[in-house]
Amino acid sequence: MILIDGKKAAAELREKLKQEVFELKTKYNKVPGLTVILIGDLTPSQIYVRNKEKSANEVGLKSEVIRYPDSVEEEKVLDKIEELNKDDTVSGILVQLPLPKHIDKQKVIEAIYPSKDVDGFHPMNVGNLSSGYESSIPCTPLGCYLLIKKIEPNLSGKKAVVVGRSNLNGKPMTQLLLKENCTVTITHSKTKDLKAECSKADIIVAAVGIPELVKGDWVKKDTIVIDVGINKTEKGIVGDVAFDEVSKVAKALTPVPGGVGPMTIACLLKNTIECFKRSLK
Ligand code: NAD
């Protein structure tokens, strides 16, 4: 079984991006800039944002974090986004989710120019991705996709099963696999027989949020299994895949932690650089 080392893959990607930023700086005398807006003091969000800032600095991006208290008015956030939209030194804008209840998430997402939407959540980017056009791609599915391609460069005709249909993970993952000519089945909480669906898959991507949902006897021996889940349990952080069982049968599997997670942030940096390059055109 191949244990897919997301930490190593992310470090390699960051190294490549660092070189790219250096070359862009040499050629254009400017560097891509990422601005993150963080509202409130939720600990996981604080940790994510700190890691994003650290990684951005590491590859040489210009990075800035704008912090607001929980009580900030929606209008103030929207005004700031508008200011950043017009700022040429800002290539990418990310508003860290979740947001306080009084702020309309969709309004915030749609306020960001699609050309600066490094999360790929703007309806314009969602539509472009599903139409097969150039777009920002949500970071976690992009990371999963890059890990799958490392194991199997030619995905044409493969049967892929995506477990979970969130806008964040499942749906964009499906689009990426379709683009690679996979035959994709998207499953969700109302799917009748998840085991039967997974049993046919050459590729399984599990993004559900249920600890160890995908079992060993759901997986064929040549299947690539990507585990997006991050679940806090009594035995620590576990994924959506029963690691001990599945690692005995699958061809390749991502661990949790150390699989998809590190790739997510590296892909955010990649998206920022892509936004910068598109802005030069
Ligand atoms: P979500 O709650 O938005 O969506 C979960 C999806 O799972 C839904 O579409 C639902 O229909 C489906 N589902 C629920 N029960 C099911 C069942 N029994 N069988 C099949 N499908 C079922 O979740 P999300 O935001 O997509 O996150 C999923 C997991 O990924 C969570 O554990 C989250 O913490 C993790 N996550 C990890 C990263 C990372 O970087 N590794 C990033 C984002 C989210």
Side-chain angles (χ1 to χ4, degrees):
M1 205 272 307
I2 304 168
L3 187 65
I4 306 174
D5 188 342
K7 263 191 184 169
K8 187 166 165 237
E12 285 167 6
L13 179 56
R14 282 198 305 273
E15 205 42 52
K16 234 175 86 189
L17 297 175
K18 191 174 172 180
Q19 181 61 30
E20 199 174 354
V21 172
F22 175 78
E23 284 164 13
L24 289 169
K25 191 178 175 185
T26 310
K27 193 163 172 194
Y28 299 103
N29 200 26
K30 49 184 181 181
V31 294
L34 172 66
T35 298
V36 177
I37 297 179
L38 174 61
I39 302 170
D41 50 12
L42 269 182
T43 315
S45 294
Q46 304 262 13
I47 296 170
Y48 291 144
V49 169
R50 206 179 314 133
N51 289 339
K52 285 169 184 172
E53 196 180 15
K54 189 171 154 254
S55 303
N57 289 330
E58 211 180 290
V59 302
L61 299 183
K62 176 176 133 345
S63 102
E64 182 192 18
V65 179
I66 296 169
R67 291 180 165 80
Y68 290 118
D70 245 326
S71 58
V72 67
E73 282 174 16
E74 183 183 273
E75 207 181 327
K76 193 164 177 186
V77 178
L78 295 174
D79 286 348
K80 176 52 83 178
I81 291 174
E82 194 48 25
E83 187 189 315
L84 297 170
N85 279 335
K86 293 187 175 134
D87 183 341
D88 283 346
T89 67
V90 176
S91 324
I93 305 167
L94 180 152
V95 180
Q96 182 65 45
L97 302 177
L99 297 175
K101 284 202 175 63
H102 67 280
I103 297 183
D104 182 337
K105 182 176 94 176
Q106 201 53 27
K107 228 182 193 178
V108 166
I109 288 173
E110 290 183 23
I112 299 171
Y113 280 176
S115 57
K116 297 196 177 193
D117 166 36
V118 277
D119 258 337
F121 295 162
H122 191 287
M124 183 89 96
N125 281 318
V126 175
N128 278 339
L129 176 63
S130 65
S131 301
Y133 301 141
E134 194 174 58
S135 67
S136 278
I137 300 165
C139 304
T140 302
L142 178 58
C144 295
Y145 165 81
L146 295 175
L147 291 176
I148 296 168
K149 290 281 278 184
K150 263 185 185 288
I151 304 296
E152 181 56 67
N154 181 8
L155 300 177
S156 186
K158 300 279 181 205
K159 287 198 181 98
V161 170
V162 177
V163 190
R165 59 174 161 187
S166 69
N167 291 339
L168 181 69
N169 291 309
K171 284 182 194 154
M173 190 70 238
T174 300
Q175 297 300 345
L176 288 170
L177 292 164
L178 267 179
K179 227 173 155 178
E180 288 291 317
N181 298 318
C182 289
T183 302
V184 190
T185 302
I186 181 157
T187 62
H188 45 78
S189 56
K190 302 288 186 286
T191 296
K192 290 267 188 275
D193 189 347
L194 191 57
K195 177 180 175 180
E197 299 298 340
C198 288
S199 303
K200 294 179 229 157
D202 302 310
I203 298 159
I204 297 173
V205 180
V208 188
I210 299 180
E212 304 183 324
L213 174 73
V214 177
K215 306 284 187 269
D217 61 353
W218 297 18
V219 175
K220 289 192 294 155
K221 70 171 175 19
D222 56 351
T223 304
I224 300 171
V225 183
I226 305 292
D227 190 351
V228 180
I230 302 176
N231 307 295
K232 261 192 195 161
T233 69
E234 278 173 5
K235 59 176 187 181
I237 300 282
V238 301
D240 292 342
V241 175
F243 184 89
D244 291 346
E245 293 177 17
V246 174
S247 60
K248 290 194 181 92
V249 272
K251 172 179 169 184
L253 171 64
T254 56
V256 176
V260 173
M263 283 300 279
T264 297
I265 294 187
C267 286
L268 170 67
L269 311 179
K270 181 174 163 52
N271 280 352
T272 307
I273 296 169
E274 295 301 327
C275 286
F276 175 82
K277 289 197 293 192
R278 283 200 287 270
S279 76
L280 296 170
K281 282 183 193 165

